[in-house]
Amino acid sequence: MVSENDRRELRPGCLLSQQDLLKELETSERIFRAGSWSGEKLLGAGYSVRLGDDLLVIPDRPGDSRYTAIRGDNVVPEFTLAPGDTALISTIEKFSFDFDITATIGDKFGLAARGLLVLHGSAVHPGYGRERDEESGIWTPKRDERLYFIVANVGPDSITMRKGDTIAYLQFFDVERVQEKPVVNLGFDHLSRLFRADHHAEDGGLSYFRNVKDLRSEVESERRRIDERISETERKVENNHTEMERRITDTQTAVDRLSNTSNMIVVFGVFLIAATLLGVVLVMLGELIDELSAGMAVWKLAVIGGLGVLYALATVTGVWLVARAANKAVLGRTSGDGAGGRSGAGQ
Ligand SMILES: O=c1ccn([C@H]2C[C@H](O)[C@@H](COP(=O)(O)OP(=O)(O)OP(=O)(O)O)O2)c(=O)[nH]1
């Protein structure tokens, strides 16, 4: 440690340069506790604070709604936040600000680029990390005062955070010495309660992000339900379509059958008319022949016999034609019934 005389000159209102900062860190505990800082984290006119492995409140597993407070010997050098997860994190650096120095807290864009939102206050106040010794009345560095931040994974992918990751950027200013009084933060216990880690409850974490996450899973399951309903409706429409086609085919078959039957009736009617006309013609012819030549009994009989045979042949041919038409109609109906029966059984 340096004596008061060897101290660098204070310039109230001025930003500490990297050299000022390094000198302070190497020669005093006016900013951090000795051994808790790293020269590699000096950047420009500032310092990037690092993620610690204790004093954390993190989900039991990525995506879990139960949160556990990590403190003491129970360290966690690495944890993963699923989208929508939140956590309370603390720095490796232990603070012991003197009453004439302050710092502003800034974000790291690298974290934002990974989808990590860091919720933080704006300043580290003069005296942060100091306490008054009751006996001597001297303000001395606290044993273990950290900066706490709340983080939320607002990106689409899981984010793994490891001990030593930079989590915020501080810039330091000299200020006129302020009145010496304790600077308190909300405290790890209070923040643990905010995350419901004290009860290890099912609804841990920051409710806004949890609600967004729950809402998303509800929307997804509702979308799945709607998709299922749409597929079911599509199946029903398909079935109805098939049933409608079957009914149309049945109706078509019935119409065909009716038309066959009516054709058969027409053919039969034509046959009856033809047979009747033929009979009448035959009788008239017989009578004519009988009147014209009474003495020609043999050939007359032969002609009448021939006409009779002709009449019989015509009658048989007519019966055969009607039978064929009837047979077609019956066959058509049978095959139509068979098709209807099959599609009916397929449902
Ligand atoms: O993100 C932050 C910001 C600040 N601090 C520490 C350093 C700071 O000196 C102290 C108080 O900060 P702030 O005044 O922002 O917190 P507060 O709880 O609003 O304080 P108060 O209600 O006492 O004014 O907490 C953190 O741990 N994290």
Side-chain angles (χ1 to χ4, degrees), residues 146-282:
R146 323 279 185 95
L147 275 190
Y148 298 101
F149 303 116
I150 291 167
V151 292
N153 181 354
V154 295
D157 302 318
S158 291
I159 299 172
T160 298
M161 302 190 70
R162 296 182 181 83
K163 179 183 181 184
D165 284 353
T166 53
I167 47 178
Y169 183 67
L170 305 186
Q171 289 195 298
F172 303 82
F173 296 85
D174 284 332
V175 289
E176 295 287 356
R177 197 164 187 85
V178 301
Q179 187 195 349
E180 294 175 349
K181 59 177 186 183
V183 180
V184 288
N185 67 17
L186 290 168
F188 185 74
D189 290 335
H190 173 91
L191 294 165
S192 295
R193 280 196 294 280
L194 178 71
F195 279 74
R196 294 186 151 275
D198 53 335
H199 288 104
H200 203 234
E202 291 257 13
D203 56 349
L206 294 193
S207 59
Y208 172 78
F209 297 99
R210 192 184 56 247
N211 291 346
V212 169
K213 192 167 68 175
D214 290 351
L215 212 59
R216 182 182 166 176
S217 64
E218 268 176 40
V219 165
E220 268 171 12
S221 71
E222 189 57 34
R223 203 180 62 191
R224 271 197 298 278
R225 263 203 297 279
I226 289 171
D227 283 351
E228 273 166 23
R229 270 192 227 146
I230 288 174
S231 329
E232 198 180 319
T233 309
E234 278 175 354
R235 265 199 308 278
K236 276 186 189 161
V237 167
E238 182 68 28
N239 284 346
N240 286 347
H241 181 73
T242 312
E243 173 63 11
M244 210 122 85
E245 276 185 344
R246 193 184 68 79
R247 285 189 188 175
I248 288 170
T249 310
D250 283 357
T251 310
Q252 188 65 49
T253 308
V255 168
D256 288 352
R257 197 187 320 152
L258 203 65
S259 122
N260 282 344
T261 308
S262 59
N263 283 350
M264 192 181 74
I265 290 167
V266 168
V267 168
F268 187 68
V270 169
F271 161 73
L272 274 184
I273 292 167
T276 309
L277 283 177
L278 208 60
V280 169
V281 167
L282 202 60

Side-chain angles (χ1 to χ4, degrees), residues 89 91 95 97 102-103 105 118-129 145-150 168 182-187 191:
I89 57 175
T91 57
F95 288 75
F97 270 33
T102 187
I105 304 172
V118 182
L119 300 171
H120 60 80
S122 61
V124 185
H125 303 297
Y128 184 68
E145 184 69 288
R146 323 279 185 95
L147 275 190
Y148 298 101
F149 303 116
I150 291 167
V183 180
V184 288
N185 67 17
L186 290 168
L191 294 165

